Amino acid sequence: MVEAIVQNEPQRDAVSGSDRTHSEPARSPRCKKARLESCQETSDDDVLVQFLSRVLVNSVPTFRPSEQDFQDPYVCIRKVEALAGRCGACKIIPPPGVSGEPLTSQDIITRAKDFEFPIFSQKIRQPAWNDFQETCLVKKPDMLSAASILERSDSFAESLNLTNISGDSSKLDEIECEYWRTCGQSPGARCKQEFVDQPAAIAGSAFLPTDNLSQTRWNFKNLKADQRFLFKHLGGGDFDLGSPRLALGCLFGTNFWKRSHGNFQSLEFLHGGAPRIFYTIPPEYGDIVEEIIIRQVYRKAMGKLFKKGKSWENARRKAFQTLSKNYTTLLPKKLVEEGIPVFRTVQAPGEMISILPGSFHMSFSAGFNCHESLDLATTEWLFHGKRFLNRARAVGLPIRIPYEEMLCKEAILTGLLLKTGGIPTSSQFLVMRMMVEFLSEQQSLRRLLSTRGASEGHLDGGVNMSGNCQTCGYACFLGLVVEESSNPEPNKNPNCLSCAARDPNCGKGATLFLKKQFDELDNMSKVFRSILAKQGNACGQVSSSVQPVIGFLNTPDLPLRLVEHISINCLNGFRDRRVFVSPNTPTKAYVIAADVIQAMGMKDADRDETVMADVWMEVNRSFEGFRIPPPPFPLKAYYEGRKGEVGYGVVLSSAEVDVVLKTVQGAAFVGLSQFIAGIRPASVNMGGGSSAMEARPQ
């Protein structure tokens, strides 16, 4: 078993030599905020010291696997993922002797002698952005050797009297305090310069065949070959996922707040040199953190764009795109003030940090070091990857991850297992669920394009099918759309089905190219539906304790606007689907709770308030496995009918229905997946009337 440090058991830190509790219980954000408010009368430095003394942050748990468990990286990572979900990350300390002796500075220079690293000058003082000019934050990089980077880092450390930190906990704490004084522009900061060096990561690895860790399955160069990770389905090309990236660190060199692109899980290994300090946030707070950063960091820059005639939506998209480039710093204290739990850990040489999918994190180096990182995708990543796709489309981020390819190829393997009489595992049940959901969406988009007059074509194996959507960057695998005016070759200027369906002018003159496997996978999906329908319904048991539905979403004078009223062929027959948008937030779609209940095959839909509260209680019990926040209880809302009359009832946002879909099983899942397929508010015709909508939003 993976052995966790016993709760509240002090453990001597491998770097600092001080006693720290690595697995203390999580404190609630409300308690942290109260403690922060109690410090309001103190100086900024006093609050900083209290923050860094762990009064306001929790420690990331540390796990020490046994030698037997450490032999299998996949098993160890899965156990760690389950145990550390509420922290966003965990530290893995290999068994004694496995990681070997840490590299010295001279060792790092020797191993990196064949590499040159792009080194940026980046601004670490906390900016309140006045515009989106990146040149004021990151200067053009130089290409330097490891020896030159060491020289520059040491020179900077000497100017601040922050050298020789090895084994000195007080010096490490001093560096951390000085770092945050500099970022927060504290008057007491020694560092007066705004820019510091930050070497960028390059493709490569520092593992040598003679290293102890290289002789295990944890060698980062070999992990991609493990057949239990999804990257086995990729042949390289544009998607060199699962390959290690090598980087050097300098004093105060920072990886700013970010989530891994694609919501992949990542491993960070420190080969040698000075420690790194990590701050992490649990994945369920990711969207909230983005909104906090938008408000506190980018609001002035967004306002400037708005004054220049850009829409507020375009200004928000620019802010999200800038955030994705990892230029943004924000004091953890600011996040704590907003009620966000922040976790911290120190990474010593020879230790790994596992960052869970969707977790916001940042790190900085306490001096010159060498570290290596790697992205991973277990089967459970399919859930997190879909959340990333929905979020990226909603905020206009480039996607460029091969989600579709990995899902389809993994589904084919699951289908082969079923054909040979094999018994699917829980991971393969997840693959079946995600494939059923995906094909329901694709068929909905296919029908929509067909009604607009788009023709269809099948490609043989000799034609290059792969292509990235020219609009959103999505990596098309099963199908893509090419308009007549673009290029007759199907791998030139394509659009994914979702972007093509969102464009009201895309139809006649466009061709939907599909792989032959599309129909094969669709037939396989029907088999998956049958198997999933026999699983049983997680929401079938009605709770004896009914919670009330909370208040009204709106007022009668501002009813939700009806934009779609169609009949959907669900597992239990044709069901009405009414889709609404709010005049104030037209990018968010709502559906009637009674329609959702009927689609899941549940009775008493007329008593939607009572039944929906029961469903929600059952859904909340299933959330532990997903590590996402329980959604709010359903709200009542006033909404307009076909003839303009105003009624009211319980409604759910399409995103909340999406959450329900992830937690129900059996016939309820199959029926709801058909009901929800095709809802996307971005394509709503705001002029009124019916409008088909594609692909669910986040």
Side-chain angles (χ1 to χ4, degrees), residues 69 100-101 130 270 310 351 414 473 549 552 566 591 629:
D69 280 320
E101 291 295 322
N130 294 317
L270 185 58
K310 300 290 185 180
E351 297 177 348
T414 302
V549 175
F552 272 87
I566 60 176
V591 293

Side-chain angles (χ1 to χ4, degrees), residues 554 557-561 580-588 590 638 640 686:
N554 56 0
D557 57 322
L558 286 174
L560 300 180
R561 183 183 304 172
F580 303 84
V581 295
S582 168
N584 296 326
T585 55
T587 58
K588 193 171 186 179
Y590 296 90
Y638 294 97
E640 65 180 24
M686 293 311 295

Side-chain angles (χ1 to χ4, degrees), residues 15-35:
V15 182
S16 64
S18 62
D19 290 337
R20 302 185 190 273
T21 301
H22 287 281
S23 189
E24 58 187 83
R27 303 184 180 101
S28 70
R30 182 177 300 175
C31 293
K32 290 182 201 170
K33 191 171 182 179
R35 284 193 297 275

Side-chain angles (χ1 to χ4, degrees), residues 426-442:
S426 59
S427 295
Q428 288 160 335
F429 270 112
L430 175 63
V431 173
M432 288 190 278
R433 289 167 63 94
M434 300 304 294
M435 194 64 194
V436 166
E437 183 184 343
F438 170 73
L439 261 299
S440 293
E441 293 175 358
Q442 296 299 297

Side-chain angles (χ1 to χ4, degrees), residues 148-179:
S148 298
I149 293 173
L150 170 61
E151 182 179 351
R152 288 172 65 151
S153 179
D154 285 350
S155 175
F156 178 51
E158 289 175 3
S159 69
L160 301 179
N161 192 25
L162 295 175
T163 56
N164 301 321
I165 68 164
S166 178
D168 187 343
S169 62
S170 62
K171 183 65 75 172
L172 183 60
D173 287 343
E174 183 182 355
I175 287 176
E176 191 174 10
C177 284
E178 184 59 31
Y179 175 84

